[in-house]
């Protein structure tokens, strides 16, 4: 079980590193690592079902808090469903560790830190993480020329920050990036590009969002 736990964290940390450096596949590896950590906690509890000890609750608390933070930062829609059980389990685990004087100081600090971070993440708008982890690397990297989805989301980000003119400018950049993407896709030298065919026609959505911005009626953002 220790090897499984160690491997799970290695996969998770590797995914985080890849994501920080904006390497493709970072999101999937991060999510996989976080899922493996939860799986380890569940297996650990099942193996000790007759004698649920502090260690079992600690592993589960850490796993769920980590899983929630990962889901929230990766903009997964069901992240909030994980938050409540994660907070309840970790909070009761902390209180139980204090009452029974179980667990090391390191475990207590680790769980308290993750608990605090989870609460802060919960009350932080996902748009801030969107800009930090997705938009900022894109807008300052080579992919800015073709990543029309990032520009589209950035226009939404700006519009809801009360920066309508900047949002309209980002919308224009989204259309320009879409045109570059189509041109690159049609180039025979890039016939190995792996893209979703549903992205074709995305320019219509971008134009519709521009109209909604001009009319101050852009209430919802829909990924295409």
């Amino acid at each position: 079980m220790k090897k499984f736990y160690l491997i799970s964290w290695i996969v998770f940390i590797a995914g985080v590193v890849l994501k920080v450096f904006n390497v493709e596949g970072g999101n999937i590896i991060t999510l996989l690592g976080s899922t493996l950590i939860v799986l380890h906690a569940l297996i650990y509890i099942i193996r000790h079902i007759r004698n649920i000890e502090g260690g079992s609750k600690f592993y589960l608390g850490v796993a769920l808090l980590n899983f929630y933070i990962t889901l929230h930062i990766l903009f997964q829609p069901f992240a909030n469903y994980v938050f409540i059980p994660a907070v309840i389990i970790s909070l009761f685990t902390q209180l139980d560790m204090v009452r029974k004087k179980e667990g090391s100081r390191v475990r207590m600090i680790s769980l308290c830190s993750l608990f605090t971070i989870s609460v802060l993440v919960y009350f932080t708008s996902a748009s801030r993480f969107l800009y930090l982890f997705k938009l900022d690397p894109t807008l300052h990297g080579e992919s800015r020329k073709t990543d029309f989805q990032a520009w589209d989301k950035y226009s939404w980000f700006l519009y809801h920050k009360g920066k309508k003119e900047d949002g309209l400018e980002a919308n224009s950049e989204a259309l320009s990036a879409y045109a570059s993407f189509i041109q690159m896709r049609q180039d025979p030298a890039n016939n190995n590009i792996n893209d979703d065919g549903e992205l074709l026609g995305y320019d219509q959505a971008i134009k519709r969002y521009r109209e909604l911005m001009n009319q101050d009626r852009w209430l919802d953002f829909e990924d295409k």
Side-chain angles (χ1 to χ4, degrees), residues 113-137:
S113 298
L114 269 178
F115 179 84
T116 302
I117 292 172
S118 297
V119 173
L120 291 175
V121 166
Y122 180 79
F123 288 103
T124 301
S125 171
S127 62
R128 292 183 180 272
F129 293 107
L130 172 66
Y131 183 83
L132 178 63
F133 291 107
K134 174 61 179 176
L135 300 181
D136 187 61

Side-chain angles (χ1 to χ4, degrees), residues 35-221:
T35 303
L36 288 175
I37 294 171
V38 173
L39 183 60
H40 166 272
L42 295 176
I43 294 175
Y44 191 93
I45 288 178
I46 292 174
R47 292 183 63 176
H48 297 81
I49 193 66
R50 295 185 178 181
N51 182 25
I52 300 296
E53 55 183 14
S56 302
K57 290 176 285 186
F58 168 79
Y59 285 129
L60 184 59
V62 167
L64 289 178
L65 289 175
N66 177 72
F67 193 52
Y68 164 71
I69 295 172
T70 301
L71 292 177
H72 187 86
I73 292 178
L74 295 182
F75 323 114
Q76 297 300 316
F78 52 90
N80 288 342
Y81 294 108
V82 179
F83 177 74
I84 295 178
V87 167
I88 292 176
I89 291 174
S90 60
L91 182 60
F92 274 98
T93 299
Q94 292 175 68
L95 294 175
D96 197 46
M97 290 172 69
V98 171
R99 183 174 64 85
K100 295 182 179 179
K101 297 181 179 181
E102 291 181 343
S104 65
R105 185 181 297 271
V106 174
R107 282 191 172 186
M108 177 60 76
I109 293 175
S110 300
L111 194 56
C112 286
S113 298
L114 269 178
F115 179 84
T116 302
I117 292 172
S118 297
V119 173
L120 291 175
V121 166
Y122 180 79
F123 288 103
T124 301
S125 171
S127 62
R128 292 183 180 272
F129 293 107
L130 172 66
Y131 183 83
L132 178 63
F133 291 107
K134 174 61 179 176
L135 300 181
D136 187 61
T138 297
L139 301 180
H140 294 87
E142 186 64 25
S143 60
R144 72 191 308 275
K145 299 178 181 179
T146 56
D147 195 340
F148 54 90
Q149 288 179 298
W151 281 110
D152 191 26
K153 290 178 181 178
Y154 188 42
S155 66
W156 163 262
F157 177 84
L158 291 170
Y159 176 72
H160 281 270
K161 283 291 182 181
K163 300 179 179 179
K164 179 178 177 179
E165 294 303 318
D166 291 335
L168 289 169
E169 184 178 343
N171 181 272
S172 297
E173 291 287 353
L175 283 172
S176 177
Y178 178 81
S180 297
F181 169 80
I182 294 299
Q183 184 178 6
M184 181 180 65
R185 189 177 185 274
Q186 293 174 343
D187 189 339
N190 297 319
N191 58 8
N192 61 336
I193 293 178
N194 183 21
D195 64 83
D196 189 345
E198 293 183 1
L199 295 179
L200 298 178
Y202 196 101
D203 58 325
Q204 298 304 313
I206 297 174
K207 292 175 181 178
R208 185 173 75 254
Y209 293 153
R210 186 177 188 85
E211 292 178 3
L212 291 174
M213 269 194 287
N214 282 321
Q215 298 170 11
D216 290 322
R217 295 193 302 111
W218 195 8
L219 303 179
D220 299 301
F221 182 88

